[in-house]
Amino acid sequence: MADSSSRRPGRRAGDSTTRDDILHAAQNLFGRNGFKNTSMRAVATEAGVDVALVPYYFGSKHGLFVAALEVPIDPAEQVRRATDGPRDQLGERMITEFTRAWEGVQTGSALQGLLRSVVNDESRASSFGEFASTEMVPLVADSAGVSLETARVTVSMLFGVATMRYLIGVPLFADLTRDEVIALWGPQLQRVIDAD
């Protein structure tokens, strides 16, 4: 019988469930401790794997969190696309990118499921709220070149649309075409941005 102390570091022998083990540990720890108080080292310890495997599979703590919440898009990439271009068209680009993700064939139902789970699960709500506060709103502010207060208002406007249109299905929101939503909210978002 081989001495277990002579095992070399690296991948486990046999079928690898390492990625799933890390993801499961992350979901538990983010739910229990929130985004800020969950380290990649703690996730690795919980999963029983080398800490180097966490960034190997997920890139960063941000990437791990996005995967743990089963978000079908990278919100940071979406923010970067929306904020890339002339400032005077920022409001329109933001609502265009936002509705594209929420109405996409491969992303829409997953995002709607995520929003429902965040609303109905206190630990997910807490983790998502902390992530939005510490990662996403500052990213919007930095990428768009606006203050944190303006970023906070624009993000709340966008998620207000998501809640009313996609989660609750309020007819005044849900009955509009996507083009109508863009035409209505783009200028409103731009007014907030221009006031900054």
Side-chain angles (χ1 to χ4, degrees):
M1 179 181 242
D3 179 7
S4 63
S5 66
S6 67
R7 284 187 55 202
R8 293 185 350 191
R11 278 186 35 150
R12 299 172 181 167
D15 291 339
S16 179
T17 61
T18 302
R19 186 182 190 284
D20 290 339
D21 293 345
I22 294 168
L23 197 54
H24 182 68
Q27 289 166 334
N28 288 339
L29 289 175
F30 283 132
R32 203 165 53 230
N33 303 329
F35 178 80
K36 185 177 177 184
N37 293 321
T38 299
S39 69
M40 293 194 345
R41 183 170 301 284
V43 170
T45 300
E46 178 95 356
V49 300
D50 187 292
V51 70
L53 290 172
V54 180
Y56 172 79
Y57 284 108
F58 299 99
S60 65
K61 184 177 171 182
H62 171 98
L64 178 61
F65 184 78
V66 168
L69 279 184
E70 302 172 271
V71 179
I73 57 167
D74 180 353
E77 183 55 37
Q78 188 183 18
V79 167
R80 288 186 193 99
R81 273 196 312 271
T83 57
D84 184 29
R87 184 182 169 107
D88 65 347
Q89 297 167 11
L90 184 54
E92 182 179 335
R93 285 195 314 276
M94 289 179 83
I95 191 68
T96 299
E97 281 297 322
F98 193 78
T99 56
R100 178 179 292 129
W102 283 85
E103 297 185 20
V105 173
Q106 297 180 351
T107 56
S109 61
L111 285 171
Q112 292 171 36
L114 169 66
L115 187 56
R116 280 188 186 85
S117 73
V118 166
V119 169
N120 293 318
D121 182 331
E122 190 176 321
S123 67
R124 274 190 161 210
S126 176
S127 293
F128 183 80
E130 187 180 338
F131 177 72
S133 295
T134 61
E135 297 287 314
M136 294 313 300
V137 172
L139 178 62
V140 169
D142 186 54
S143 297
V146 298
S147 66
L148 273 174
E149 291 76 17
T150 297
R152 197 177 299 151
V153 171
T154 58
V155 169
S156 68
M157 289 173 70
L158 291 168
F159 274 91
V161 171
T163 302
M164 301 298 274
R165 181 172 172 84
Y166 307 114
L167 182 63
I168 302 172
V170 174
L172 279 174
F173 295 79
D175 291 348
L176 298 172
T177 67
R178 180 170 173 248
D179 287 341
E180 289 171 328
V181 170
I182 292 168
L184 185 59
W185 269 272
Q188 300 303 327
L189 285 162
Q190 192 64 46
R191 283 188 187 95
V192 172
I193 292 160
D194 289 344
D196 186 63

